Amino acid sequence: GAVALLPATTLLLLGPRVGAGLLFPLAYSLFLVPFGDELVPPLQTITAEITIALVQLSGIPARIEGVFIGTPVGLFVVAEACSGVKFLIAMIALGALVGNVCFRSWTRRAAFMALCVIVPILANGVRAWGTVYAAQYVGVEKAAGIDHIIYGWVFFAVVIAAVLGLGWKFFARAID
């Protein structure tokens, strides 16, 4: 309700013509509403499936039971915090902003939004695989620490840069 108060107040005080001109910023304020908890279980499962596929492709013997992945060095769990929901929502918000600012065509906007949904889900699976893979060589404790520092910040910054880089050549508006 508090977030909806801003657009409603804007429309009330400034009128519908100004509201129409501010439609995107007012609608973008909906990203202030916390959501995504319902996405956690399916994202955990998807991350676990991607991780086990990559672990097995890496030649590491592993088994999966739900969100638990067993390897020779230990048992890993794709926890709720590791589902990638926060990064997915952040990428959707970024995609909405970039789509509005940089594209004129609705098909390009839709394609970019699809990219902003698919890439973070796949990247989160790669991040989880990297943790399991690193644990085979440096130990579980060090791999978990590396995960939150390297993959938690650096890896996702690279993913954001890659998504923007892929979209850059299709921007319909001049850089200036």
Side-chain angles (χ1 to χ4, degrees), residues 59-113:
I60 299 169
R63 67 187 190 296
I64 185 171
E65 293 179 28
V67 295
F68 296 95
I69 299 170
T71 67
V73 298
L75 183 66
F76 297 87
V77 61
V78 179
E80 288 181 9
C82 297
S83 67
V85 71
K86 291 179 183 177
F87 185 60
L88 176 61
I89 291 170
M91 282 294 290
I92 291 171
L94 177 69
L97 180 63
V98 170
N100 182 64
V101 173
C102 300
F103 298 110
R104 289 189 180 126
S105 162
W106 282 100
T107 54
R108 287 186 182 188
R109 287 177 179 169
F112 190 76
M113 285 303 295

Side-chain angles (χ1 to χ4, degrees), residues 149-176:
I149 295 168
I150 302 296
Y151 293 118
W153 293 98
V154 176
F155 182 72
F156 284 132
V158 170
V159 170
I160 290 170
V163 168
L164 288 174
L166 286 171
W168 188 309
K169 61 190 326 189
F170 300 104
F171 285 180
R173 298 177 192 226
I175 294 172
D176 58 348

Side-chain angles (χ1 to χ4, degrees), residues 39-81:
L39 297 174
V40 170
L43 286 175
Q44 281 178 288
T45 303
I46 291 169
T47 300
E49 293 292 334
I50 293 170
T51 304
I52 193 68
L54 291 174
V55 166
Q56 290 174 343
L57 279 173
S58 302
I60 299 169
R63 67 187 190 296
I64 185 171
E65 293 179 28
V67 295
F68 296 95
I69 299 170
T71 67
V73 298
L75 183 66
F76 297 87
V77 61
V78 179
E80 288 181 9

Side-chain angles (χ1 to χ4, degrees), residues 3 10 23 31 40 49 70 77 81 94 115 118 123-127 148 151 158 163-164 171:
V3 172
T10 303
L23 182 62
F31 283 111
V40 170
E49 293 292 334
V77 61
L94 177 69
L115 191 67
I118 294 167
N124 195 50
V126 171
R127 179 202 57 80
H148 290 102
Y151 293 118
V158 170
V163 168
L164 288 174
F171 285 180

